[in-house]
Amino acid sequence: MSAEKEIRRVTTKALDILKKKKVKITSLTAYDFITAKLLDEAGIDIILVGDSLSNVFQGNETTLPVTMDEMIYHTKAVTKGVNRAMVVVDMPFMSYQLGADDGFRNAGRILKETHAAAVKLEGGKRVAETVKKITENGIPVMGHIGLTPQSIHQFGSYKERGTTKKEADEIFEDAKILEEAGAFALVLEKIPASLAKKITSSLNIPTIGIGAGKYCDGQILVTPDMLALNVDFHPRFVRHYSKLASEINKAVKSYIVDVKKGSFPSVDESY
Ligand code: KIV
């Protein structure tokens, strides 16, 4: 039996085994019950309720506006659709930046109210104490370094990170610090493939890349992006696996035509 099939429920331990066996870890985002159920049934390992829901679900320009209550509302719907995948929840902007105690309180609230298995938060050295506090109290934390969208106003653009030696060294150091603080996995976003390779081979915990090349232990994409449901956002790291926006457009146009001309509903579709 393959390593993935042996796993009946994806846990932090299962992810460690996948890394050791060099079996790639797969991850996608979901914000609702039906999408989560479809991803889980297809065999995805990690479902992230990303704060990208601020962009792709709520229509905001950045991830900053989404709240704790909104993350919890969406995660409750997601966990109902999942049997096998590990559900990880993004801690929204300002739910952990005030310090370790506040971060721990909010992480605890997320797990208690949603049935998710882990939280994710952005940053390296500056959040190490918070990661330590949360993990020491039994809540798994996924780190997220490189391009961290909650800091977009400080970065000034969504350009890749870690392209200078100084910044690459800082990101590498952050990765080591997060592992030391107890993180069970790290998202590496939009950094050079060579840096992601160095981090991946230096850590015992798995790395999950997005725009970080092929050497990471796993990959994550935002589901509406990879299904081409959200066609306004197409950076080069997003591969389109479907054409959902144009499929939906075609389907809705056909429905409009059928209703207008009276061919829907038919006799068979009536009572
Ligand atoms: O919010 C999100 O969807 C994420 C992924 C892009 C990693 O953080």
Side-chain angles (χ1 to χ4, degrees), residues 29 31 48 50-52 90 120 144 187 189 210 220 222:
T29 64
Y31 320 102
L48 173 70
D51 59 358
S52 52
D90 255 335
K120 172 165 89 56
H144 182 162
V187 166
E189 179 161 353
I210 173 161
I220 181 164
V222 170

Side-chain angles (χ1 to χ4, degrees), residues 173-201:
E173 196 196 338
D174 279 343
K176 298 290 277 182
I177 289 172
L178 287 168
E179 177 172 55
E180 183 76 15
F184 73 91
L186 287 190
V187 166
L188 305 178
E189 179 161 353
K190 226 172 172 186
I191 59 170
S194 55
L195 175 58
K197 185 180 184 185
K198 183 177 160 194
I199 293 172
T200 301
S201 63

Side-chain angles (χ1 to χ4, degrees), residues 197-269:
K197 185 180 184 185
K198 183 177 160 194
I199 293 172
T200 301
S201 63
S202 306
L203 299 185
N204 293 311
I205 57 172
T207 60
I208 314 289
I210 173 161
K214 67 176 187 179
Y215 301 107
C216 297
D217 297 305
Q219 296 291 329
I220 181 164
L221 285 173
V222 170
T223 302
D225 296 346
M226 61 85 83
L227 295 178
L229 185 57
N230 177 26
V231 281
D232 295 339
F233 181 71
H234 195 187
R236 75 172 200 233
F237 66 79
V238 173
R239 184 180 294 178
H240 283 167
Y241 285 87
S242 185
K243 291 191 169 74
L244 271 200
S246 78
E247 283 302 315
I248 290 174
N249 185 274
K250 264 193 268 165
V252 173
K253 281 186 171 147
S254 301
Y255 171 75
I256 292 170
V257 168
D258 288 356
V259 171
K260 297 268 188 206
K261 71 179 186 206
S263 72
F264 177 82
S266 66
V267 173
D268 285 349
E269 287 158 339

